[in-house]
Amino acid sequence: MPITFDRSICRDLNETISREWLVTNGVGGYAAGTIADVLTRMQHGLLVTSQKDAASPQLLSAKIDEEVVFDERKYYLGTNEYRDGTLNPAGFGHLEAFRLEEGFPVFTYHLGGIDGIMLEKRIWMPHGFNTTYIQYRLLSTSDFRNATEQVGRTSWRRNSEELSSEEFVRNTGFPAYPEAAQRMLSLTLLPLSAYRPHSQPQYGNNDWHFQVQVHNREQDTQEEHIPFPEGVAGCTIRAWDGAPAYSVFAVGHPDSQTTFIPTGVWYWHFLHRHDQAAGRPAVDDLYLPGVIRTKLWPDEASTLTLIATAEDASSYTLRPKQVNLSYKRSVEKQRNVLQPQRYFGEGGETSHSLDVLPLPATSDLRIEGEEFLRLLLQAADRFLVWRTVAQNEQASNQAFFFEPQRLPVLLTDYYGMESCTRDTLIALPGLLLATRHFY
């Protein structure tokens, strides 16, 4: 059973702005934010990379604001707080539910009246890559409530396999819509970008514009050798000449008419209230390289997935099947936290199951003890980071039997990116020894 908040909490700003989520990639990068989608910390962002040649983690993609046109009405789903206290837009008012599904955040927005639709957004990062996926899918309001209890068990399959209409109905309870065209909506995404250390503000300038290379199917992309099927568009961004590039791609249905439209404008004076309360610089400017426009309808094959990545863009296969496979693998890795540990010895392969004791029956918890411990183990696993050893550091390790290329590190704070020896030694027994993760 996933951790879930209903509309009574999601539409209360004081509640949603104080609850944060965190997704990591196992190599020091992360995505983090609040349920309300307000950037309350300078370190909040959808793509924060940690690379060996950078002095500190770099924030590249800060957030995505969504604008939806459905049933001749426009909805703004993002929420931003500005220096003068203005809250605009206030999209949290459309948030019907929020849940953590195997540790990954899932937002569900209600659009229209009682016969309206639900727009679901989920976020994940694949292990070992500086890449964040943000996927959008349409559901129906009439079936959303009936399927809520099933989502935690079946939604990963919906995103990982090609299901027929009959299988989709049988496994999720969501109908395949023959009248999908009548329930179609137009979705506009605003990927607000940055290029700065994750704990320092960025100040825009009308004389400073990021270098944006547009990738649409009709344009020539042979120079980058990036395959662009129907329904795919995006851009490659550089903050200035010589700056490392990162890319934003939208992967949609072939009939979704997905396109990227360059804009190149600054959005000014975002307020980060946690930093303001702590007396730190709290105002930041973000750059909008362009907008992504697409169409969605309630069908299992109709999704839009935004990929923000600092990896080599030419290595990505920009097809829905590959995106869904990424989600499947990420979910399986989360579920493998409690899988039997396997060893190889003289007698061959043996396995040892991890014993997880339930919490005392007197604990006032709404989920079972073992499930609660599993969620804790999944959360704890995010603070184990594999660092690549620099060449000069390897030279000092000559005394060891091995010269490791990668070393495990326990982070005590993602926002501070600290690796404190004292805190590591305190956490070591619970995070690694008790869970039998031996490195």
Side-chain angles (χ1 to χ4, degrees):
M1 175 179 177
I3 295 175
T4 304
F5 299 113
D6 61 18
R7 63 188 299 178
S8 65
I9 292 178
C10 290
R11 299 187 181 186
D12 184 334
L13 181 63
N14 291 328
E15 294 285 346
T16 56
I17 205 170
S18 62
R19 287 177 162 85
E20 302 181 39
W21 55 267
L22 172 72
V23 175
T24 64
N25 63 2
V27 292
Y30 70 88
T34 64
I35 296 179
D37 197 33
V38 179
L39 303 175
T40 61
R41 302 179 188 270
M42 200 66 69
Q43 295 90 343
H44 281 166
L46 286 176
L47 179 60
V48 179
T49 66
S50 181
Q51 300 177 348
K52 62 181 180 180
D53 56 347
S56 63
Q58 298 291 302
L59 190 149
L60 303 180
S61 178
K63 65 173 305 188
I64 297 175
D65 281 353
E66 300 93 359
E67 298 177 2
V68 175
V69 176
F70 171 69
D71 198 18
E72 299 183 354
R73 179 182 173 186
K74 179 172 282 191
Y75 300 84
Y76 298 92
L77 305 185
T79 305
N80 299 311
E81 187 173 20
Y82 294 94
R83 183 176 60 184
D84 60 359
T86 301
L87 207 66
N88 183 42
F92 70 93
H94 301 295
L95 191 58
E96 184 75 11
F98 172 89
R99 69 181 185 275
L100 287 181
E101 189 174 285
E102 299 296 342
F104 301 125
V106 181
F107 305 77
T108 306
Y109 297 91
H110 183 187
L111 309 175
I114 192 171
D115 295 325
I117 55 177
M118 296 285 186
L119 179 64
E120 181 184 83
K121 176 175 72 173
R122 69 182 65 237
I123 301 172
W124 75 94
M125 297 185 83
H127 186 79
F129 296 93
N130 287 304
T131 302
T132 302
Y133 291 80
I134 307 97
Q135 187 175 80
Y136 299 86
R137 180 190 299 272
L138 278 187
L139 312 174
S140 71
T141 54
S142 59
D143 296 297
F144 170 76
R145 295 177 180 85
N146 296 332
T148 298
E149 294 182 358
Q150 303 180 41
V151 168
R153 299 189 297 270
T154 61
S155 60
W156 72 274
R157 184 170 184 260
R158 289 188 288 111
N159 284 275
S160 62
E161 300 177 8
E162 289 288 323
L163 301 182
S164 67
S165 297
E166 293 78 8
E167 289 175 316
F168 187 79
V169 172
R170 183 169 63 252
N171 285 281
T172 67
F174 300 132
Y177 285 87
E179 69 279 11
Q182 299 177 14
R183 309 294 288 172
M184 183 179 294
L185 63 74
S186 297
L187 176 64
T188 300
L189 302 179
L190 288 74
L192 294 164
S193 302
Y195 190 85
R196 61 170 176 80
H198 78 315
S199 59
Q200 300 177 17
Q202 170 178 271
Y203 300 115
N205 190 314
N206 283 325
D207 295 327
W208 173 28
H209 291 275
F210 287 13
Q211 299 174 8
V212 180
Q213 184 174 12
V214 178
H215 303 303
N216 284 321
R217 179 176 173 83
E218 62 272 12
Q219 296 183 351
D220 184 11
T221 59
Q222 294 302 313
E223 183 179 347
E224 294 81 23
H225 306 288
I226 303 175
F228 269 72
E230 286 285 351
V232 177
C235 68
T236 298
I237 305 167
R238 285 182 174 85
W240 55 77
D241 283 332
Y246 59 100
S247 302
V248 176
F249 296 111
V251 181
H253 189 277
D255 298 328
S256 62
Q257 302 176 25
T258 304
T259 185
F260 179 87
I261 303 172
T263 55
V265 296
W266 285 98
Y267 278 56
W268 310 97
H269 310 318
F270 290 88
L271 176 67
H272 304 269
R273 58 169 59 188
H274 274 293
D275 297 295
Q276 183 184 49
R280 296 186 293 264
V283 178
D284 192 30
D285 302 326
L286 298 175
Y287 191 78
L288 182 67
V291 299
I292 294 167
R293 289 182 178 169
T294 191
K295 296 184 182 298
L296 288 178
W297 52 92
D299 184 85
E300 67 270 24
S302 176
T303 63
L304 180 81
T305 306
L306 203 72
I307 305 174
T309 180
E311 307 291 340
D312 182 6
S314 62
S315 64
Y316 277 82
T317 303
L318 302 174
R319 296 184 182 277
K321 269 192 175 182
Q322 295 300 318
V323 170
N324 296 337
L325 181 60
S326 169
Y327 184 74
K328 178 182 178 181
R329 289 173 174 170
S330 297
V331 167
E332 288 177 345
K333 184 182 185 306
Q334 287 293 96
R335 291 181 171 176
N336 286 340
V337 171
L338 296 183
Q339 291 300 311
Q341 304 293 311
R342 299 189 179 277
Y343 306 93
F344 294 88
E346 294 181 359
E349 180 182 355
T350 61
S351 64
H352 177 80
S353 298
L354 177 63
D355 295 325
V356 180
L357 298 177
L359 295 180
T362 56
S363 298
D364 184 17
L365 297 171
R366 283 179 288 182
I367 55 179
E368 297 297 328
E370 185 165 328
E371 175 71 6
F372 181 69
L373 288 180
R374 185 173 69 88
L375 295 175
L376 288 180
L377 288 172
Q378 288 180 341
D381 189 60
R382 298 190 185 281
F383 291 88
L384 177 64
V385 173
W386 290 90
R387 298 282 196 192
T388 301
V389 181
Q391 292 296 326
N392 58 347
E393 295 179 78
Q394 292 184 29
S396 64
N397 290 336
Q398 296 296 330
F400 291 95
F401 292 106
F402 304 100
E403 293 187 12
Q405 299 293 321
R406 298 168 69 239
L407 291 175
V409 174
L410 287 179
L411 285 180
T412 57
D413 178 11
Y414 264 92
Y415 295 150
M417 280 294 167
E418 297 175 353
S419 179
C420 176
T421 302
R422 177 180 179 274
D423 292 346
T424 297
L425 292 176
I426 293 173
L428 188 65
L431 294 187
L432 298 183
L433 301 183
T435 58
R436 299 184 181 274
H437 287 88
F438 305 127
Y439 299 99

